[in-house]
């Protein structure tokens, strides 16, 4: 069986995947300051829902106006 030049690229990609894959799973999620924000937004949403607003008007503005 003849060694094809594309196999070199495949071996390099496979070696990179073996080396880099554990890095993605060992570090966990990056730290953020969003934990308390979601609790506050849930409370605002619950209050708006209780007052009869099915979809609060401020909800699309949560993501910088792209919501």
């Amino acid at each position: 069986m003849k060694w094809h030049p594309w196999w070199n690229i495949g071996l390099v990609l496979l070696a990179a995947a073996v080396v880099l894959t554990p890095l993605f799973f060992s570090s966990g999620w990056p730290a953020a300051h969003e934990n308390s924000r979601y609790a506050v937004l849930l409370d605002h949403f619950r209050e708006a829902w209780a007052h009869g607003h099915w979809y609060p008007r401020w909800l699309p503005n949560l993501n910088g106006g792209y919501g």
Side-chain angles (χ1 to χ4, degrees), residues 11-64:
L11 285 177
V12 168
L13 291 176
L14 181 64
V18 168
V19 170
L20 295 176
T21 300
L23 296 176
F24 289 111
F25 295 106
S26 65
S27 64
W29 293 102
H33 302 286
E34 297 289 318
N35 296 339
S36 60
R37 179 176 185 253
Y38 293 127
V40 172
L41 289 177
L42 179 64
D43 188 49
H44 288 313
F45 191 83
R46 181 193 53 80
E47 186 177 328
W49 186 272
H51 284 93
H53 303 288
W54 286 54
Y55 189 81
R57 293 179 62 91
W58 50 263
L59 194 60
N61 295 326
L62 289 179
N63 194 22

